[in-house]
Amino acid sequence: MAKDYTNLIDGELITNGQWMDVVNPANEEVIGRVPACGKDELDRAVAAARRAFKTWSKTSPEERQKVAQGIAAAIKDNADELFRLLTAEQGKPHAQAQGEIYGAAGLAAAQSTLRLEEVINQDDDERLSRTRRVPVGVVGGIVPWNFPVMMAIQKIVPALISGCTIVLKPSPFTPLTTLRIAELIKGVVPAGTVNIITGEDSLGPLITQHPDIDKITFTGSTATGKKIMEGASADLKRITLELGGNDASIVLPDADVQKVAEQLFWSSFTNAGQICVAAKRIYIHEDIYDELSAAIAEYAKTVKVGDGSEQGTGVGPIQNKKQYDRVLELIQDAKDNGYKFLVGGEVDPSGSGYYVPITILDNPPEDARIVAEEQFGPVMPLMKFSTEEEVIARANNSEYGLAGAVWTGNPDKGVEIAEQLETGTVWVNEYLHLSPFAPFGGHKQSGFGAEYGIDGLKEFTYPQVITVKKNAMA
Ligand code: NAD
């Protein structure tokens, strides 16, 4: 049954009498209503964040850590309820939703331990110079629909740890679990430090351009990222952008076919392919192409596509109609061009739910849309290559630069290739692993700045250098 959810502003759970429906992508039923906020609510939230900043920015690292740990505990203690709600609104299978919820709690706990230490630049008879980090102020966080909880937490926690306060906007497609977490952390976070408000996409530019917001941290598409940068330029807001990717995986001839087939499959099809760092182009050496593509296709046939709340589902629906239509368009384009399908390709639009069958393409050309564009769906192109030089050039031939992977029996060779890829993250013989302590960010048009680790934390602060001349008044 559809339930009404509230926003969190200044420590209070509020509604404004205007609502937006949220739909379960597995059956297109409305499962909840959330407030449709605009300028008035945003102004209230920003004013509350500004007031709270005065005291929060003066708190000790220990106090901030305690609050972040409280957020982690609230999520972990309610994981069972939260992961079911996440599946209902996002579509991902229960096991993957559990992974996101526990992952978000783990991230909050891990990031709560990060500290920005002062740096001594000079300390001698002449002067003492030190660099400290000071929080930028009020942060505007804007989140997409593919990992709504993880993305919210990876903005809220570092903001708090660095001494900032935040106004966060979930995606209009997936606000429910975040708003349930807002209820759960209401008594954990001091009033005004964390404000969560929902609205249509049109709320985004109001945040980006708000004169009393000092920094924007955004995860979403490259197209929207460019608008954010433009909007933030009026008053030179600080920005962190985590954007799209067209991530290449390279499989060398010495890779163990049976071992990598399943891993390659999940590197593309976890979350129905809706991951910024999912393997979106897979280049396989010609010596093992036939054997490996057959093994991936064979494995794919064992995976169930369906409602994420049903036992045994491996791939859920696409999260929303717009993205569903886009993925269908890419499949149709592949058909129109006569590309060969190893698996899938036949979509049945008659039932309810945004289901796309697992689809694998056999060696489409480099300029095929499914290769050149970010598909963000359960459609994977496998391509053949001959030489290392050629495959590195093909992998780098993209405006994106988010992530990539190399699969090989020789990890040193993997690293040699990894170092030639123009991406912020490269895995050798694994996939999708992100450390809370290592920077995550895109090269080229995949982003601006980084999240996670000390580098991520620094983006919520300004450096301030204080220099004291010694014996000046002697
Ligand atoms: P999107 O850009 O459409 O929306 C993201 C958020 O921005 C939503 O909350 C939306 O309401 C808001 N928004 C929309 N228009 C806006 C505007 N003009 N100004 C400010 N905010 C606005 O992205 P999406 O479709 O939700 O997510 C899919 C994209 O996100 C993919 O391209 C994917 O690769 C990318 N992504 C990147 C990462 C990463 O870490 N690099 C992670 C997840 C997703």
Side-chain angles (χ1 to χ4, degrees), residues 143 145-146 169 201 218-221 224 242-244 276 374 376:
V143 173
W145 45 258
N146 61 339
K169 184 189 94 60
D201 281 353
F218 169 79
T219 302
S221 63
T224 307
E242 296 292 352
L243 308 176
C276 53
E374 182 188 39
F376 226 61

Side-chain angles (χ1 to χ4, degrees), residues 135-419:
V136 292
V138 175
V139 173
I142 303 177
V143 173
W145 45 258
N146 61 339
F147 280 84
V149 175
M150 191 61 128
M151 306 284 160
I153 293 303
Q154 76 191 44
K155 299 193 182 323
I156 291 171
V157 169
L160 292 179
I161 290 297
S162 58
C164 295
T165 56
I166 187 165
V167 176
L168 185 106
K169 184 189 94 60
S171 166
F173 294 116
T174 52
L176 302 185
T177 318
T178 311
L179 292 183
R180 178 66 187 121
I181 291 172
E183 288 174 12
L184 295 168
I185 64 171
K186 176 178 169 283
V188 173
V189 297
T193 55
V194 178
N195 305 275
I196 303 183
I197 66 169
T198 45
E200 302 287 357
D201 281 353
S202 53
L203 182 58
L206 298 179
I207 295 176
T208 310
Q209 291 160 30
H210 199 289
D212 214 19
I213 289 181
D214 304 287
K215 176 197 164 69
I216 302 291
T217 172
F218 169 79
T219 302
S221 63
T222 295
T224 307
K226 289 178 185 175
K227 290 184 195 154
I228 302 256
M229 200 167 198
E230 207 180 318
S233 72
D235 51 5
L236 284 183
K237 282 185 180 59
R238 270 44 191 170
I239 50 173
T240 304
L241 306 175
E242 296 292 352
L243 308 176
N246 194 6
D247 314 80
S249 278
I250 297 172
V251 191
L252 299 184
D254 63 358
D256 182 325
V257 167
Q258 290 313 320
K259 278 199 182 137
V260 300
E262 189 175 331
Q263 295 184 68
L264 280 169
F265 176 87
W266 288 111
S267 72
S268 278
F269 289 98
T270 301
N271 207 30
Q274 303 161 113
I275 309 186
C276 53
V277 293
K280 295 177 185 141
R281 300 177 282 157
I282 298 194
Y283 294 98
I284 302 172
H285 191 271
E286 58 189 1
D287 288 356
I288 56 166
Y289 183 86
D290 290 346
E291 195 190 346
L292 181 53
S293 55
I296 295 172
E298 210 46 48
Y299 180 76
K301 288 174 192 154
T302 68
V303 177
K304 179 181 157 191
V305 177
D307 185 329
S309 66
E310 282 170 12
Q311 186 118 24
T313 295
V315 173
I318 296 281
Q319 201 283 320
N320 58 74
K321 176 81 166 70
K322 190 171 154 219
Q323 185 62 21
Y324 173 75
D325 288 342
R326 178 176 151 68
V327 173
L328 296 199
E329 192 184 301
L330 289 175
I331 292 177
Q332 190 57 46
D333 178 76
K335 285 186 178 169
D336 293 346
N337 283 286
Y339 305 144
K340 194 172 153 208
F341 288 75
L342 276 176
V343 179
E346 293 309 324
V347 184
D348 174 10
S350 62
S352 59
Y354 308 131
Y355 295 103
V356 172
I358 291 165
T359 297
I360 301 177
L361 284 142
D362 184 13
N363 205 24
E366 205 63 14
D367 62 353
R369 283 188 62 192
I370 191 64
V371 181
E373 297 178 20
E374 182 188 39
Q375 63 274 52
F376 226 61
V379 186
M380 166 164 78
L382 304 179
M383 275 86 62
K384 219 180 264 191
F385 76 91
S386 308
T387 69
E388 275 172 29
E389 200 186 2
E390 166 214 336
V391 77
I392 291 165
R394 287 167 75 183
N396 286 338
N397 182 24
S398 169
E399 74 262 26
Y400 294 116
L402 193 58
V406 187
W407 299 85
T408 170
N410 177 355
D412 291 341
K413 171 54 82 181
V415 171
E416 191 188 311
I417 293 180
E419 288 178 353

